[in-house]
Amino acid sequence: MKAKIAEKFKTLFGTDGEFFTSAGRINLIGEHTDYNGGYVFPGAVDKGIMAEIRLNGTDKVCVFALDLDEYVEFGLNEEDAPAQSWARYVFGVCREIIKRGGKISGFNTVFAGDVPLGAGMSSSAALESTFAFALNYLFNLGIDKFELARIGQSTEHNYCGVKCGIMDQFASVFGKAGSLIRLDCKTMEYKYYPFHPKGYRLVLLDSVVKHELASSAYNKRRESCENAAAAIRKNHPEVEFLRDAKKEWLDEVKSVISAEDYMRAEYVIEEVQRVLDVCDALERDDYETVGQKMYETHHGMSKLYEVSCEELDFLNDVARECGVAGSRVMGGGFGGCTINLVKDELYEPFIAKATASFTEKFGHAPKVYDVVISDGARKLE
Ligand code: GLA
C-alpha cells in the first residue's frame, strides 16, 4: 500500500511526503455504552488507513483518495464541507483543529486503506485519527492524545451527522499491539489488558450488509438513552449518564418513559455491567464466561436495543450451534460483523459451516477476518 501511495503522490505532486497511519478497531464487549458514560473494551487492528502528506505552503488542502480514485481540493477557511463523504472527514479534522486554536496551513496528501467499509470496524475513525495525528505532528501543535480522539469524534458530530461516542477514535489513537483497552468513558480512565487467550482466537465474520439509515437509527438510540437518563435524574440527581443508574431506578420511571426508551436503557445498564464481568473473567483466564457475556450482549443488541439484523442473528445462531464460546454483533450494528471467540479446534469447522450456511441463505459468502490486535496512530519511518 505504501508503494502505491508513494507512486501516486509523486505523479500528482512531483515530490515525496511523510507517512502516517492509524487503525480500525474491534470491541470485545461494551457496545453503545460509550455515549452513556459507560465502559468499552476495544483494541486497534492490523487494518487501517495510511496517508502520505507534505505541506504545500498555501491555504489549500489537496487530497487524493487512492481506493476511490477521487481528488478533492478545499480551502482551510471554507465553511462548507466538500460533497464527497470521505472528504468531509479530512475537512472536519482540519476545521476541528482550527476551532481549537491550532494553526495549520495547506497540504497535499494521498491516502488509502484496508479497513473494510461498513463492516463496523470504524474505517472513519481510522481516517480521522490518521489526519489528526499527522497534522498535530507536522504543525507541532502539542495536542494530547485524548484531544486527538475528540477531534475525530467532533468531526463525526459536526460534519458527518453521527452523534457517536468516543470509543472508535480512542481505540484508533491509543491502540497498542497485543492489548485491549478498557476505557471508562465518563472519567476517561483506561487500562491496557494484554490479550493472548490461550487455546482461543478472535475472528470476525462480515455479513457484508450495511443497512440504510444506520446513522439516523444510531442517533435515535442515543436520544432514547438521554430521555431515560433525564427521567431517572429527576429522582436521582447524581445520574449524569445512564451508566450511573441502577436497574431499580430505571424501573421507577417505567411508566413515564416510552416502552422503547425503557428497552434501550435496560440494555445499556446491563451492558455496562457485562464489561466489568468480562474484565473479572479475564483476570481468571475464564474465556467461557467471557464468551457467555458476548452472547448476552448479542441478545440485548438484537431484542432490546434492536440494532442487529437477520444476517447477524443468523451468524450468531450458527456460532451457537457450532459450540463457539462467544459471538455477538460488533460496533454500531445495522449490518457489519459478528465478533467470535472460538476455541482453536473449532475454528475450521465453524468457518466452514458459517460460510456454507450463510451463502445458502443469503446468496453471498460472509468475509472472514482474523483479529490481530495492533498499534494505533503513528508516524511511519
Ligand atoms: C459506533 C460509534 C461508537 C460506539 C459504537 C457502538 O462505532 O462510533 O462511538 O457507540 O458504534 O458501541
Side-chain angles (χ1 to χ4, degrees), residues 107-289:
F107 56 91
N108 299 333
T109 180
V110 173
F111 77 88
D114 58 1
V115 197
L117 297 178
M121 294 168 74
S122 213
S123 50
S124 60
L127 181 55
E128 292 147 8
S129 306
T130 300
F131 280 95
F133 183 93
L135 297 178
N136 188 37
Y137 177 91
L138 291 166
F139 293 99
N140 208 359
L141 300 172
I143 302 173
D144 72 30
K145 286 168 84 180
F146 288 114
E147 202 56 29
L148 291 181
R150 286 193 200 98
I151 285 167
Q153 183 192 22
S154 308
T155 297
E156 300 274 353
H157 287 201
N158 300 331
Y159 300 93
C160 311
V162 183
K163 298 286 178 202
C164 66
I166 194 70
M167 170 170 73
D168 303 353
Q169 292 77 11
F170 174 85
S172 189
V173 171
F174 283 78
K176 180 158 116 182
S179 287
L180 296 177
I181 325 167
R182 189 185 77 189
L183 172 69
D184 178 330
C185 298
K186 185 174 174 184
T187 63
M188 293 306 277
E189 274 168 334
Y190 64 98
K191 181 177 167 195
Y192 287 101
Y193 279 72
F195 188 76
H196 306 285
K198 223 183 267 142
Y200 293 81
R201 55 180 105 169
L202 283 176
V203 59
L204 306 182
L205 287 186
D206 184 357
S207 64
V208 209
V209 293
K210 187 73 203 165
H211 292 283
E212 291 290 309
L213 302 177
S215 50
S216 61
Y218 181 95
N219 294 344
K220 234 180 130 213
R221 296 300 180 283
R222 183 173 182 148
E223 268 171 38
S224 280
C225 294
E226 286 167 359
N227 290 342
I232 298 170
R233 194 175 304 128
K234 288 192 180 138
N235 299 336
H236 303 277
E238 66 270 41
V239 173
E240 189 183 345
F241 297 101
L242 261 189
R243 170 270 174 85
D244 304 314
K246 300 193 170 93
K247 177 74 192 325
E248 303 87 87
W249 299 354
L250 173 63
D251 288 333
E252 290 167 8
V253 297
K254 191 165 185 175
S255 60
V256 300
I257 60 176
S258 73
E260 197 174 274
D261 291 353
Y262 178 87
M263 271 159 54
R264 309 299 190 236
E266 184 182 13
Y267 161 77
V268 169
I269 292 171
E270 290 172 357
E271 180 72 353
V272 170
Q273 183 57 43
R274 276 193 286 268
V275 182
L276 298 176
D277 294 345
V278 160
C279 291
D280 286 346
L282 282 178
E283 307 275 2
R284 306 187 302 268
D285 288 332
D286 175 1
Y287 296 104
E288 292 301 312
T289 298

